[in-house]
Amino acid sequence: MENEEIAQRITVTGVVQGVGFRPMVARLADLYGIRGWVLNNSVGVEIHAEGTKTQVADFVHEIAQANLPMLRLDNIQVTHVATGHWDDFRILASKHNHQGIVPLPVDLSVCESCVEELRQPGNRRYGYPYINCTDCGPRFSLIVAMPFDRPTTTMSAWPLCAACQAEYEDPQDRRYHAETICCPVCGPSYALHAEGRCLAQGPRSIEVVGRWLKDGKIVAIKGIGGFHLACDAENHAAVADLRERKFRKERPFAVMARDIETAREYAHLTDAHEALLESSARPIVLAPARRALPGVNPECRRLGIMLPYAPLHHLLFDHAPPLLVLTSGNRSNEPIAYQDEDAFDRLGGIADAFLMGQRPIARRVDDSLVAVRHGRPMMLRRSRGFAPQRVLRLPTADPILALGGELKCAVTLLVDGQAFVSQHLGDLDEDRTRQAFHETVKDLLTIHRLDSTEVTLVHDLHPQYYSTRFAASFGGKGRVAVQHHHAHVASVLAEHGIFEDQVVGVALDGTGYGSDGTVWGGEIFVGGLQKGFKRAASLRPAKLLGGDAAASFPVQAAAGYLAELNGIPDLTRTPFRFPVRALQMLEMAKHDLHCFVTTSAGRLFDAAAALLGFVRPMTYEGQAAMWLENLAMESAPQEPYPMDNLDWAPMLSRIISERLEGRAIAEIAYAFHAGLAQELARSALLHCRQMSSKIIAISGGAFQNELLTDLFSLEIERQWSGDFPRPRVISNEQVPVNDGGLSLGQAALAEFQR
Ligand code: ZN
Ligand code: ZN
Ligand code: FE
């Protein structure tokens, strides 16, 4: 009977909380004449639907087709239940039930409808910096616990006023059951603090800050996942001041442009760049710079640019200059400040004033950084708008917590068949970052209701890494160590869901503890997730003078390579102009004093950079290699330098002789990139043929180098002989190729090998 009254219980899992799903279900119920209820629980969303057979069937069908920007449906289960004789459809209070995993929703930028209201004189929320709705606003950064409800967010301190309550309860309103809504009457506000007192409140504080930025002041601004430091990007003196106060010498600053038109004036944007800039994640997008901004991105061809994502940013640009430096609120390498007291404390010596918002931030979430490669996004720092989104599904049994490496740390929790990668945490050689690391581990476990004794910990093989020592003291269910570069390659395979195939892996980076105790970083592996990896080849080992200290001084790195070459000219003279102490370093390296052994690609880049003129110490990690890439990009394509079975000696000898002959350094830099790419491709293809492998997985920080990556892929095409299947080159997309992606690879390898 079509008209027979039935009742069904519908359980929906996936990313279903904090994405406007319940209000949508309620509207559908209204549309199809369904009675019953919907609620968030600890597994996802549960729906009780009563109506005729046809009505319920149509309703369930619509839910399965549901399409909301951030909604991800994993599974819908429908069971018949007894009718409860409901006479309407309601959104009920959330229910905590048995153990289950609901993915946390990510922070969303303010939507267009809300921006419109923000601009509408007479609107209740005209000029209100905390405007949001069912479709937009922060989530991850303000959630205290799940299920996602107002009392479990940092908005719990602000009860709704009558007007907001009416919107919240009206199924026709676009704020129906929006958990974080508020207005100037009932919600938090912003205020300007300087010289220890409050100088302005509400809209006026934003206006004054805008004007101060125009006047060249530096202001700390509380945002979504932490504090920013802001100044006028075109004001050279202000930018120089900011660098000095922040102890950040040369590392590029990110900027925020008032709108997409302004962004286009400063950067060459393709459709892919613009799509990313305007996406709801609103990351910093790395794009070719259109004009020089002295002090903002020194010696860089690219500019990290973003668009306003919080309502506050939109309001600020009514008064502020059209392009602002908006860099994380911290001193040099510390993690970004996100709590008020801490911000006053740490940023007091940097900022002239503070624009303080009252809504607390539950957890630190930096801006994400994304590049574009061949029209596709490539993650460089995964944080706001992306974390803690599930990266992949794996057939897991028990929970695994992978701790990553030492630099650019992020941790991965593998639970209930899903891998969640945390937000970017930073370098664990810093005390405050260690604190952040502790907080995040605890946070991830708490929010997923896991006890530390239930999780297996995975860490790097390096005995001295902070994360390794942490694992030893943590007391989990067990411990697994994974080699650094194995984890890099594994992260690519995990992301692409390649669980069984045997592949050839190429891992290039600055440093990682090798299985033989030496420093690795230029490795070719064969293997896969299930059987693990075998080192098949590597760059010729060089001497590493002073160990990790060599990583910040290209001349010191160069000494370890040059010590193995014959007939080196006096490098302190033109054109090389090495500092005099380089000669001492060379002597030490020749006599094996304070030397380690390394196959690091990063150090090889440093050595080449030193020979081409980068003879000062670096002021941030990877600077010399980036400088070398930027230099090479200025050149037309050049013949690759020769390498002999991954031996760099012939290449470095050529660099020295051609520099003496006066060849343009940009050309030399290009020939170096091409030579390395050609030789790595030769070796990778050789192993593909031997293993009859169809996949080459490349990862490691050195593959942030776009020129090297492109040349490598081209060489694979060019050198492929055609008598075996043409291998496909794959790399990371969702997690960074740098150490930010390490924990995902660690988790995957540990999962398959236990
Ligand atoms: Zn909105
Ligand atoms: Zn209100
Ligand atoms: Fe690495």
Side-chain angles (χ1 to χ4, degrees), residues 111 114 132-133 136 174:
C111 73
C114 283
N132 66 80
C133 71
C136 80
R174 60 183 203 86

Side-chain angles (χ1 to χ4, degrees), residues 484-485 488 508-512 700-701 737-739 742:
H484 190 99
H485 303 96
H488 270 310
L508 300 185
D509 68 2
T511 178
V737 287
N738 60 45
D739 287 3
L742 218 51

Side-chain angles (χ1 to χ4, degrees), residues 272-498:
H273 288 108
E274 295 198 2
L276 267 172
L277 278 169
E278 294 183 314
S279 69
S280 68
R282 300 254 157 157
I284 302 168
V285 178
L286 216 48
R290 201 185 264 281
R291 54 163 123 145
L293 284 167
V296 172
N297 55 341
E299 294 186 327
C300 262
R301 296 164 55 92
R302 299 189 188 93
L303 179 67
I305 195 163
M306 60 184 149
L307 290 179
Y309 56 85
L312 176 72
H313 301 145
H314 288 273
L315 298 172
L316 202 57
F317 278 114
D318 287 346
H319 312 282
L323 191 76
L324 292 174
V325 163
L326 213 60
T327 183
S328 39
N330 57 11
R331 206 178 285 258
S332 59
N333 276 332
E334 291 175 357
I336 183 171
Y338 73 104
Q339 284 160 333
D340 296 356
E341 281 316 306
D342 186 42
F344 280 131
D345 194 39
R346 283 160 61 199
L347 309 180
I350 304 176
D352 299 311
F354 286 81
L355 185 53
M356 301 297 292
Q358 289 176 315
R359 184 177 64 200
I361 297 171
R363 59 180 67 72
R364 170 187 288 121
V365 196
D366 292 78
D367 293 319
S368 295
L369 175 64
V370 187
V372 173
R373 288 280 170 84
H374 305 288
R376 294 175 66 90
M378 178 184 172
M379 192 67 65
L380 294 177
R381 183 172 69 213
R382 189 175 175 280
S383 228
R384 182 182 46 75
F386 299 98
Q389 231 165 57
R390 177 178 71 210
V391 174
L392 75 146
R393 301 175 64 87
L394 273 175
T396 38
D398 297 328
I400 285 180
L401 181 67
L403 301 170
E406 183 85 341
L407 301 179
K408 300 187 171 71
C409 186
V411 299
T412 293
L413 178 67
L414 204 59
V415 61
D416 197 29
Q418 315 182 62
F420 301 104
V421 181
S422 81
Q423 70 272 44
H424 161 87
L425 299 174
D427 301 346
L428 292 181
D429 52 2
E430 178 74 48
D431 257 354
R432 288 182 200 268
T433 316
R434 291 178 180 181
Q435 203 52 49
F437 173 82
H438 285 243
E439 283 166 21
T440 304
V441 165
K442 193 166 160 247
D443 185 30
L444 268 178
L445 295 184
T446 312
I447 214 144
H448 293 99
R449 274 170 272 122
L450 288 167
D451 191 84
S452 60
T453 55
E454 295 173 74
V455 291
T456 302
L457 291 175
V458 195
H459 59 86
D460 195 273
L461 201 56
H462 200 305
Q464 298 306 328
Y465 274 4
Y466 182 74
S467 45
T468 303
R469 288 182 278 143
F470 173 85
S473 66
F474 188 75
K477 193 174 173 191
R479 253 187 326 134
V480 185
V482 171
Q483 200 279 324
H484 190 99
H485 303 96
H486 292 181
H488 270 310
V489 176
S491 71
V492 180
L493 301 184
E495 257 197 64
H496 290 263
I498 298 169

Side-chain angles (χ1 to χ4, degrees), residues 237-307:
V239 175
D241 260 359
L242 179 56
R243 286 210 175 272
E244 203 177 299
R245 296 188 206 170
K246 203 171 135 72
F247 298 119
R248 178 147 151 169
K249 290 199 180 112
E250 294 167 300
R251 201 165 143 218
F253 280 142
V255 294
M256 181 180 275
R258 177 171 53 197
D259 46 35
I260 190 80
E261 288 77 23
T262 309
R264 287 181 193 134
E265 283 173 34
Y266 287 91
H268 293 277
L269 303 177
T270 62
D271 290 350
H273 288 108
E274 295 198 2
L276 267 172
L277 278 169
E278 294 183 314
S279 69
S280 68
R282 300 254 157 157
I284 302 168
V285 178
L286 216 48
R290 201 185 264 281
R291 54 163 123 145
L293 284 167
V296 172
N297 55 341
E299 294 186 327
C300 262
R301 296 164 55 92
R302 299 189 188 93
L303 179 67
I305 195 163
M306 60 184 149
L307 290 179

